């Protein structure tokens, strides 16, 4: 893609996209938590909201259930009606077809894909031809696409980080680099490798950004997706967004 939608949706320098984690439970409970979190994140001044089913709603390692996609659609519509911030979806595990459909039907602006390049143990890799064909029907939906993502094991021979970054540029609007696990930061070395490979193409931090490393990491990357740093006791059911933690990180940004 010659021009990235990222700059159109997030014209502000170094945007922060905050996670809205949806855990297993009743729809009303999920809805209430999402709306409460969205309100606190808006108060804290984030630039985007990413609605994600966290450790629930999977068929297998490749596809989400129809019920989960429908729930995320309802939640996203409610979040958008109560917030002025751009919203998007990540339908795990990497179910970009459902994510694109939900984003379009709910007025969402973007989706996240855990991985877009590479062969991984235990799940299907993204077939570039099928993916690009699907994207033709969703040309206004921006895609964040991961390379060397957390929790996925690459099959040998591996695609180097720099090589994967260059391949991802033709598939997504912003390339995402993560640490090894939720809340773990990407290394500065990895960010520099991808930055050199991408040139000026959008590079997004996918995990581990916090008040201690925001300055050094965002000196390299163009923005970040943040979840753990906004919750006092980490990412788990019932743990709310802490608005003061949001404001502290946004002050650093």
């Amino acid at each position: 893609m010659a021009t990235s939608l990222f700059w159109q949706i997030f014209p502000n320098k170094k945007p922060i996209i905050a996670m809205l984690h949806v855990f297993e439970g009743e729809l009303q409970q999920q809805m209430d938590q999402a709306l409460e979190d969205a309100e606190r994140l808006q108060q804290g001044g984030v630039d985007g909201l990413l609605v994600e089913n966290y450790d629930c709603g999977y068929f297998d390692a490749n596809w989400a259930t129809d019920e989960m996609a429908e729930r995320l659609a309802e939640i996203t519509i409610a979040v958008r009606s109560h917030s002025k911030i751009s919203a998007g979806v990540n339908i795990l595990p990497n179910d970009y077809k459902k994510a694109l459909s939900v984003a379009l039907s709910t007025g969402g602006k973007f989706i996240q894909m855990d991985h877009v390049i590479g062969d991984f143990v235990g799940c299907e890799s993204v077939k570039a031809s099928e993916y690009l064909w699907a994207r033709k029907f969703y040309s206004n939906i921006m895609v964040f696409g991961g390379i060397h993502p957390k929790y996925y094991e690459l099959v040998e021979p591996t695609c180097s980080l720099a090589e994967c970054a260059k391949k991802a540029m033709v598939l997504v609007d912003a390339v995402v680099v993560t640490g090894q696990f939720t809340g773990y930061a990407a290394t500065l070395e990895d960010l520099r490798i991808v930055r050199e490979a991408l040139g000026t193409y959008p590079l997004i931090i996918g995990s581990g950004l916090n008040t201690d490393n925001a300055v050094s990491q965002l000196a390299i990357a163009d923005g970040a997706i943040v979840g753990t740093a906004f919750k006092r006791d980490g990412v788990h059911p019932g743990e709310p967004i802490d608005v003061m933690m949001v404001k502290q990180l946004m002050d650093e940004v």
Side-chain angles (χ1 to χ4, degrees):
M1 282 169 205
T3 303
S4 173
L5 288 173
F6 175 79
W7 305 118
Q8 298 177 33
I9 296 174
F10 299 108
N12 294 334
K13 193 173 183 180
K14 312 296 183 181
I16 300 299
I17 296 90
M19 297 300 305
L20 284 178
H21 296 112
V22 176
F23 298 95
E24 189 71 67
E26 298 297 324
L27 175 59
Q28 191 59 55
Q29 178 186 21
Q30 294 168 332
M31 185 80 73
D32 292 344
Q33 185 70 65
L35 291 176
E36 178 184 334
D37 286 348
E39 175 60 28
R40 294 183 179 190
L41 288 164
Q42 183 167 253
Q43 291 176 24
V46 301
D47 304 284
L49 303 172
L50 184 62
V51 182
E52 176 189 272
N53 55 314
Y54 191 90
D55 201 25
C56 62
Y58 310 162
F59 269 131
D60 52 28
N62 300 296
W63 310 111
T65 64
D66 290 340
E67 179 187 7
M68 180 52 68
E70 291 169 2
R71 286 195 179 199
L72 292 183
E74 290 187 58
I75 292 168
T76 302
I77 289 171
V79 167
R80 289 195 65 251
S81 69
H82 287 79
S83 173
K84 298 178 180 179
I85 306 172
S86 294
V89 294
N90 182 17
I91 301 185
L92 297 175
N94 215 47
D95 196 336
Y96 68 86
K97 293 179 181 178
K98 286 188 178 70
L100 286 168
S101 177
V102 168
L104 182 66
S105 66
T106 62
K109 298 293 185 181
F110 53 90
I111 71 166
Q112 182 185 6
M113 295 173 63
D114 276 7
H115 59 87
V116 68
I117 289 291
D119 297 322
F120 301 95
V121 175
C123 68
E124 291 183 12
S125 301
V126 174
K127 295 178 176 64
S129 58
E130 291 183 6
Y131 163 77
L132 290 172
W133 181 84
R135 281 213 68 185
K136 290 181 181 179
F137 300 94
Y138 305 94
S139 58
N140 292 324
I141 304 297
M142 194 200 79
V143 177
F144 292 104
I147 57 174
H148 285 218
K150 59 188 178 184
Y151 298 114
Y152 290 87
E153 181 183 350
L154 277 165
V155 177
E156 296 289 351
T158 61
C159 171
S160 73
L161 196 60
E163 182 183 359
C164 285
K166 291 177 181 177
K167 290 181 178 180
M169 288 174 66
V170 301
L171 299 173
V172 301
D173 302 290
V175 176
V176 179
V177 176
T178 72
Q180 292 185 318
F181 306 103
T182 296
Y184 282 59
T187 67
L188 291 178
E189 179 182 4
D190 282 353
L191 292 176
R192 291 188 185 107
I193 288 171
V194 176
R195 176 85 284 162
E196 183 176 353
L198 295 179
T200 60
Y201 209 74
L203 165 60
I204 303 299
I205 297 160
S207 68
L209 191 81
N210 56 48
T211 54
D212 294 328
N213 64 22
V215 172
S216 60
Q217 295 223 331
L218 289 174
I220 303 170
D222 298 300
I225 298 169
V226 178
T228 303
F230 293 154
K231 296 186 175 186
R232 193 160 297 280
D233 292 322
V235 179
H236 58 79
E239 181 65 22
I241 296 292
D242 187 310
V243 70
M244 292 308 300
M245 293 178 72
V246 180
K247 290 180 178 180
Q248 287 168 2
L249 179 58
M250 294 309 296
D251 284 346
E252 288 296 311
V253 175

